[in-house]
Amino acid sequence: MIRFCALLCCLLPFSSFAATDGSARTTPDYVELGEYLSAPADIEVWYTALYRLRDNFDQICGDTFCEGDYSNIQALRLSCSVQRVSGMLGRCVWAFAASQEDIDPATGGVRVAPKIWRCRLPLARGATVSALLNAWSGERPLYAPLPGSNKSAYEALGDCL
């Protein structure tokens, strides 16, 4: 009886991993937005929006975010999670990086101070992929209001960078 209780205590923590219908879970609840899309037109809108967002950022960086110690901010990747079944957005985060370099005049060495930012875009609860694609389908998606919000990605970056 003691062995049975010991075995039960060891297996109990793993019982939450088992599916209730006896089958293993094979599909994640959330996926990356690019993986979620299947229609060629939606895929084109998404990747065009990513290109334009980066281009919009590069055009204004020098006059806004790229002043001061970190004048070389680069937009890295924008990633959004999507609930696979409903198409509702979970979260969008845009990563940025920059560095500040100093030369040691005595040795010629270069000191690098890297910096990264993880900028979360303010999505309204219940915002969908189709609403985001629609909002970002224009020439200047950086300034377009996010679905269900009066805030743009540009404004969110102002709070982050």
Side-chain angles (χ1 to χ4, degrees), residues 32-51 129-130 133-134 136-137:
E32 205 281 323
L33 196 149
E35 182 183 332
Y36 171 81
L37 300 172
S38 59
D42 289 343
I43 293 168
E44 180 157 344
V45 169
W46 173 241
Y47 286 103
T48 299
L50 291 176
Y51 170 80
V129 169
S130 59
L133 293 179
N134 187 48
W136 282 352
S137 63

Side-chain angles (χ1 to χ4, degrees), residues 61-62 64-74 97-102 111-115 117 161:
C61 186
T64 56
F65 307 114
C66 298
E67 295 178 335
D69 290 340
Y70 294 97
S71 60
N72 61 351
I73 299 174
Q74 297 292 309
S99 61
Q100 181 180 359
E101 297 79 17
D102 292 311
R111 290 180 295 239
V112 178
K115 179 144 177 138
W117 293 266
L161 297 175

